[in-house]
Amino acid sequence: STQREENGQTNHFEFRASAIHDPQGEMIGYMLLAQDVTHRKKVELALKRSEKRLRKSQQFSNVGSWDWHITSDIIHWSNHAPILFGHPSGKEKITRTELLKVIHPDDRQRVVEAVNTCINQRSEYDIKYRIIWPDHTIHWLHEQGDVIRDEYNDPVNMLGVVQDITQAKEAEIQLRSQH
């Protein structure tokens, strides 16, 4: 339930009702519990607004983010990341094995080595590579990331961002071919 005060502030309440029974099982009344959830609702709204800003920012900058759970081999990615790989935006996760299949064969080993180096030698993950979309077009991506480690210093997740740099790479290649 929502209540608007005279000063314009909105307060939110949740109500729960329970029947009260006597020892013979006859209902003799109700118990009503009201809880002020205004703060929780404000926090939820702020979180939704922040998530919307992040989604829009990633869309405007043609960037996606990802979170690879190393032990399960599952990559959870932001709403815009699948689009950069030629998939619909509703695809929320993919395995690393599936993802490696779309990397151009000439770049695949270099990407695997860069990831392994980041995990094993704690070096920066910063790489540009090609992918092949389902329509067989080639696109260029730039990825940056780092590893999250547990209390034993073991790698748990790898987090990163990916940006489509196809237009810039095509312009660079065209400029090189002219000289």
Side-chain angles (χ1 to χ4, degrees):
S1 173
T2 304
Q3 173 190 14
R4 184 173 296 267
E5 294 184 6
E6 288 181 20
N7 65 4
Q9 181 178 340
T10 302
N11 294 315
H12 300 273
F13 297 92
E14 286 182 353
F15 296 94
R16 292 189 190 104
S18 299
I20 300 173
H21 298 89
D22 66 16
Q24 289 75 36
E26 286 288 315
M27 188 174 69
I28 58 172
Y30 289 98
M31 178 174 62
L32 182 63
L33 174 67
Q35 183 177 6
D36 185 345
V37 294
T38 303
H39 178 70
R40 187 186 81 206
K41 289 289 188 181
K42 286 179 180 178
V43 169
E44 288 171 357
L45 181 60
L47 178 61
K48 285 180 185 178
R49 286 180 179 156
S50 177
E51 288 172 342
K52 184 176 182 179
R53 281 193 300 270
L54 176 61
R55 277 193 309 275
K56 287 294 186 186
S57 296
Q58 288 189 351
Q59 179 184 347
F60 296 148
S61 60
N62 213 15
V63 170
S65 56
W66 48 265
D67 180 355
W68 175 37
H69 298 239
I70 296 170
T71 55
S72 70
D73 194 40
I74 301 290
I75 299 171
H76 294 269
W77 49 17
S78 66
N79 198 45
H80 195 66
I83 294 168
L84 302 176
F85 289 87
H87 295 285
S89 67
K91 188 173 174 108
E92 294 179 3
K93 59 186 176 180
I94 189 170
T95 66
R96 180 169 180 250
T97 305
E98 291 174 298
L99 189 64
L100 286 172
K101 291 177 185 176
V102 303
I103 297 174
H104 193 284
D106 294 342
D107 296 346
R108 193 173 297 138
Q109 187 59 38
R110 193 168 49 84
V111 172
V112 169
E113 288 171 5
V115 169
N116 290 340
T117 300
C118 180
I119 293 171
N120 298 324
Q121 298 177 14
R122 301 168 193 260
S123 67
E124 185 177 279
Y125 179 71
D126 188 343
I127 190 166
K128 295 175 184 172
Y129 62 90
R130 294 166 291 176
I131 59 167
I132 303 171
W133 276 20
D135 67 2
H136 304 290
T137 56
I138 294 176
H139 295 259
W140 281 89
L141 298 178
H142 179 205
E143 273 190 324
Q144 293 177 288
D146 202 359
V147 174
I148 305 298
R149 298 178 183 277
D150 65 14
E151 64 272 13
Y152 304 106
N153 224 11
D154 294 327
V156 178
N157 292 54
M158 188 166 173
L159 305 174
V161 294
V162 58
Q163 183 174 27
D164 187 320
I165 58 166
T166 304
Q167 289 180 339
K169 273 304 222 182
E170 287 174 349
E172 177 185 320
I173 291 167
Q174 185 177 6
L175 279 173
R176 277 194 215 148
S177 69
Q178 293 174 353
H179 292 91

